[in-house]
Amino acid sequence: MNTPTTFDEPATPSFSPLYQQIKTLILQSLQAGEWKPGEPIPSEMDLAVRYRVSQGTVRKAIDELSAENLVVRRQGKGTFVATHAEQHVQYRFLKLVPDAGDPNTEGPAVRTIVDCKRQRASADVARALGLRTGDAVLQVRRVLAYGGVPTILEDLWLPGAPFKGLTAERLRAWPGPMYALFETEFGVRMVRAEEKIRAVLPDAEQAALLEVTLQMPLLSVERVAHTYHDMPMELRRGLYRTDTHHYRNQLG
């Protein structure tokens, strides 16, 4: 039984607004797994009783969580924890789209897991993941092909402890998005990512995996993905072919 918590309106501007405090408490419950991805959260009225605040305060907190794609409102059904298994969420972090059509018309990529191995974190990987140099990490390399053409080469680094038991075999056997595997099998949900983009030329191994020449410019996308409370959980470095695809980002 959860004990209701009473909040007072902040006395000075140094305190966060009341709805932000409620948002933080809901985030703590999401992180703790009280409500799993795909499951409904309590109604606004129930949450208002739980936290002893107005329903309007709860609604404002949920509005922000919805805008951040952490929960999904469904008309007449309630509010649910967002999941990477949902169709509209699967492409949230994939910005490479075909020159003709979109990811939905193109269909899912054919994924090839090249490698999945445990290693010690280098200084730059450790820094990106908030680890110490030499800590255990998992490195995954995979190729995504569209229409039989290798289009994306990705190297991923994951902290070793949260992803203990992840193997190439489990990755190959999983039918859905990789982020859905992370949240379903390991309880890790990626909720935010930041990226750096530049143009590069491939090395010999990268060119062979993408079936391009050493002279073909590729789009290099380095992403750090975070779970709740801005905890880094994945460093991903991707090389994208752009002869038939382009990188699209919607602003505003």
Side-chain angles (χ1 to χ4, degrees), residues 9 24 44 70 73 86 107 126 176 196 212:
E9 292 290 349
T24 297
E44 292 177 359
L70 300 180
R73 281 194 169 103
E86 293 184 50
K196 298 177 182 177
V212 298

Side-chain angles (χ1 to χ4, degrees), residues 26 29-42 70-72 74 79-84 86 182-189 228:
I26 296 174
S29 291
L30 290 171
Q31 184 181 35
E34 181 176 347
W35 314 303
K36 302 290 193 301
E39 292 182 352
I41 68 172
L70 300 180
V71 298
V72 178
R74 295 177 183 160
T79 302
F80 294 74
V81 183
T83 169
H84 286 284
E86 293 184 50
F182 293 169
E183 72 178 23
T184 301
E185 300 293 321
F186 298 93
V188 175
R189 182 167 192 277
Y228 298 110

Side-chain angles (χ1 to χ4, degrees), residues 165-185:
L166 181 62
T167 63
E169 289 71 29
R170 291 184 74 175
L171 287 167
R172 293 185 182 114
W174 182 258
M178 186 178 287
Y179 282 175
L181 169 67
F182 293 169
E183 72 178 23
T184 301
E185 300 293 321

Side-chain angles (χ1 to χ4, degrees), residues 106-112 142-152 245:
E106 185 176 48
V110 175
R111 296 165 295 183
T112 301
R142 69 174 186 170
V143 175
L144 305 181
Y146 294 94
V149 178
T151 306
I152 303 174
H245 290 69

Side-chain angles (χ1 to χ4, degrees), residues 23 29 31 84 102 117 127 153 157 166:
K23 176 185 174 184
S29 291
Q31 184 181 35
H84 286 284
D102 58 48
K117 58 188 177 183
R127 185 166 50 251
L153 170 63
W157 290 267
L166 181 62

